[in-house]
Amino acid sequence: MISLVRLKNLNVILSSIMFNTSLPPAPRLLDVVRDRIRLKHYSLRTEQAYVGWIRRYIIYHGKSHPRDMGKAEVEAFLTALAVERDVSAATQSQALAAILFLYREVLEQPLPWLDEVTRAKRPARLPSVLSVEEMGRLLGAVDDVSMELVVRLLYGTGMRLLEGLRLRVKDVDFSQGRIMVRDGKGGKDRVTVLPVRLMEPLHAQVVLVTALHRADLLAGRGEVWLPNALAVKYPEAARSLGWQYVFPADGFSADPRSGAVRRHHLDERRVQRAVKCAAALAGIVKPVSPHTLRHSFATHLLEGGYDIRTVQELLGHADVKTTMIYTHVLNRGGVGVVSPLDRV
């Protein structure tokens, strides 16, 4: 027979199971935002930006829950950004995009007031472009040997900074003289030209990457980050040479999402510093950044007589109107204009 003590203990256990209504704590809102962003395969930078703006939005309104706020609170926050912080139209638009993502994708609330929210209007600005002569001076003034090939490749291909740094060995086609840009802006792939003058130095870079990867494998490492869960579908791909970065980092670092320690690509800040220093050494007073190389690539192609559709494809623009801005830089907007002063 069961003793009285054991019977009481059994009753206590059964009672705790039957009547325990405590549930695990609900996930925090920002954690839910992160999960939703990752589910939609947004980039880490988008995740960081959106979470940051949503946090500022909540704090600005005294930590009220976004579910209890709406059009008035969103407009008040955006107005404060413009008036008190004097942010640019692009920054204000990014903040609005983050807040709308919160309401649409996370809280799943209808937004009947969306069309009534006052949106910032971006001013039309022409890009900063270097002349061919200025570009030659800039390229010659890059004093960091490890950055020289990166800078020349960005100008010679028209790639964005991160597109160049995320370039994988398998996407450099030496036989066809082309580079496949994977997962560019908007998640699109495109093909761009591989400059003949960079064939040899880029091939030498691949040889260095091959030796470095072989050493990493012998050390029990050699795994690289793969996009869109490809590591699950192809478990061995992360350790293959083809998926290694053409411009790998000097050391290993922890993945900010998974915590896995891998060799990532070069830090973009190194390229930004190299370009800035080169511009100063070359005596160029125009604002210069790695993106200036892309603008100059497009402008110089148009100056060389290439049609705008070809330039559009190389840049990966969805709309030719975006590419048309470079015709204004060339003063070819519709017709070539000659000042009447030059006719006197």
Side-chain angles (χ1 to χ4, degrees), residues 128-179:
S128 176
V129 174
L130 301 182
S131 67
V132 174
E133 186 271 334
E134 287 173 327
M135 182 58 66
R137 283 159 45 201
L138 177 75
L139 296 177
V142 179
D143 57 358
D144 188 337
V145 178
S146 61
M147 294 294 105
E148 184 177 0
L149 178 57
V150 180
V151 174
R152 289 178 178 271
L153 188 68
L154 292 179
Y155 169 60
T157 62
M159 287 189 290
R160 300 176 179 89
L161 175 56
L162 284 178
E163 289 174 346
L165 294 183
R166 290 171 178 165
L167 186 64
R168 313 276 183 153
V169 171
K170 66 180 183 61
D171 294 325
V172 182
D173 190 341
F174 291 101
S175 61
Q176 297 293 325
R178 63 184 187 179
I179 289 177

Side-chain angles (χ1 to χ4, degrees), residues 5 13 45 48 59 107 133 139 144 178 193 197 202 221 228 242 263 272 277 300 340 344:
V5 174
I13 294 173
R45 298 211 167 181
Q48 293 170 338
I59 293 175
L107 300 179
E133 186 271 334
L139 296 177
D144 188 337
R178 63 184 187 179
V193 61
R197 291 179 60 180
L202 199 56
R221 294 187 179 276
N228 302 328
R263 189 184 293 279
Q272 291 165 346
C277 291
H300 296 167
V344 175

Side-chain angles (χ1 to χ4, degrees), residues 142-256:
V142 179
D143 57 358
D144 188 337
V145 178
S146 61
M147 294 294 105
E148 184 177 0
L149 178 57
V150 180
V151 174
R152 289 178 178 271
L153 188 68
L154 292 179
Y155 169 60
T157 62
M159 287 189 290
R160 300 176 179 89
L161 175 56
L162 284 178
E163 289 174 346
L165 294 183
R166 290 171 178 165
L167 186 64
R168 313 276 183 153
V169 171
K170 66 180 183 61
D171 294 325
V172 182
D173 190 341
F174 291 101
S175 61
Q176 297 293 325
R178 63 184 187 179
I179 289 177
M180 179 65 74
V181 181
R182 302 285 186 182
D183 197 23
K185 190 174 182 179
K188 297 177 295 184
D189 294 350
R190 73 177 189 276
V191 175
T192 189
V193 61
L194 172 56
V196 175
R197 291 179 60 180
L198 295 185
M199 287 276 197
E200 186 175 338
L202 199 56
H203 187 271
Q205 177 67 19
V206 172
V207 172
L208 290 175
V209 171
T210 303
L212 179 63
H213 179 54
R214 189 178 295 118
D216 287 346
L217 290 174
L218 291 175
R221 294 187 179 276
E223 184 177 302
V224 71
W225 176 81
L226 297 184
N228 302 328
L230 285 177
V232 177
K233 189 175 182 180
Y234 305 107
E236 298 302 319
R239 296 170 65 85
S240 66
L241 174 63
W243 277 98
Q244 302 304 307
Y245 291 114
V246 174
F247 301 106
D250 295 333
F252 299 93
S253 58
D255 188 294

Side-chain angles (χ1 to χ4, degrees), residues 29 54 57-58 64-70 102-103 107 109:
L29 177 62
I54 292 170
Y57 172 60
I58 294 172
S64 299
H65 198 284
R67 191 178 289 108
D68 303 323
M69 298 187 284
L102 169 67
Y103 282 103
L107 300 179
Q109 286 191 359

